[in-house]
Amino acid sequence: MAKQSHRDVILSKGMEVMHLQGYNGTSVRDIVRAAGVPQGSFTNHFASKEVFALEALDLYYARSSKMMRETLGNETLSPLARIRAHIEAYRSFLRQNGCQRGCLCGNFAAEASDQSELLRKRNSEIFEEIQRRIVDCLKEAVKAGEISRPAKYDDVANFIVGGLQGALLLGKSSRSVLPLDQFERILFSQVLR
């Protein structure tokens, strides 16, 4: 197995630190300390903390995309079961991390959107992609007779993405999966019926 480059180690370990401590709470020194490399290695590979955070966000989303393929894209499940599986994957992630991390995309949206136009735009693109995947599930749920046709698929999908991100932030704040449980219960009992 090939040895990871300093760049890969910095990106992977730095993403973990930034996910735990936040964009503002993480310094370049924190990132290189976690990666076990000299500070000069950071500047050799990343022009700034903002550029690093953008790449960390892309790495996180690449990993999240795998989870979305296994949940929202899992055609062995019914369309609504896919949405439930997606929520369950986040619940499992929250529990695994003691409800301390939430979603890096949501964390950056809350914390860095006013400070970095690059991060704001990339987050917006990511949320739009997630919304499109949920729209696909909703359309299939209507075809399968699982739900009646919503007024606007995009509106319902946007509500789901926003509600899920809000529940993850509240779960992180309260160190509890209860906000996610409440979101899921209301989503399926009142919105998707």
Side-chain angles (χ1 to χ4, degrees), residues 48-153:
S48 66
K49 181 177 133 180
E50 179 186 43
V51 169
F52 169 83
L54 188 62
E55 290 196 40
L57 186 60
D58 283 338
L59 176 62
Y60 177 83
Y61 184 60
R63 293 176 181 176
S64 294
S65 291
K66 179 182 183 299
M67 180 269 288
M68 284 189 287
R69 284 189 304 277
E70 294 169 352
T71 59
L72 296 174
N74 183 349
E75 294 186 3
T76 65
L77 299 173
S78 74
L80 288 187
R82 291 180 214 167
I83 295 172
R84 280 190 191 275
H86 186 67
I87 294 168
E88 181 54 39
Y90 276 111
R91 183 182 292 107
S92 176
F93 178 77
L94 274 178
R95 283 188 177 127
Q96 209 172 35
N97 294 292
C99 298
Q100 292 185 39
R101 294 185 182 200
C103 171
L104 186 64
C105 299
N107 295 350
F108 276 10
E111 184 183 16
S113 288
D114 291 336
Q115 299 170 28
S116 168
E117 186 64 11
L118 285 174
L119 289 171
R120 186 201 64 75
K121 282 182 177 179
R122 182 62 184 126
N123 252 332
S124 181
E125 294 166 359
I126 288 170
F127 289 137
E128 286 172 13
E129 173 61 26
I130 297 166
Q131 184 176 330
R132 279 192 298 273
R133 291 176 186 225
I134 292 172
V135 164
D136 292 343
C137 286
L138 293 172
K139 287 178 178 178
E140 290 181 38
V142 169
K143 285 180 188 174
E146 289 186 299
I147 58 172
S148 59
R149 187 182 190 294
K152 291 187 178 182
Y153 291 109

Side-chain angles (χ1 to χ4, degrees), residues 20 27-28 61 73 94 112 141 155 166:
L20 186 61
S27 67
V28 170
Y61 184 60
L94 274 178
D155 289 351

Side-chain angles (χ1 to χ4, degrees), residues 18-62:
M18 204 166 262
H19 196 176
L20 186 61
Q21 295 178 192
Y23 179 76
N24 292 327
T26 302
S27 67
V28 170
R29 182 170 287 138
D30 295 329
I31 293 167
V32 296
R33 188 178 311 124
V37 299
Q39 191 150 343
S41 293
F42 183 92
T43 54
N44 286 339
H45 298 290
F46 305 98
S48 66
K49 181 177 133 180
E50 179 186 43
V51 169
F52 169 83
L54 188 62
E55 290 196 40
L57 186 60
D58 283 338
L59 176 62
Y60 177 83
Y61 184 60

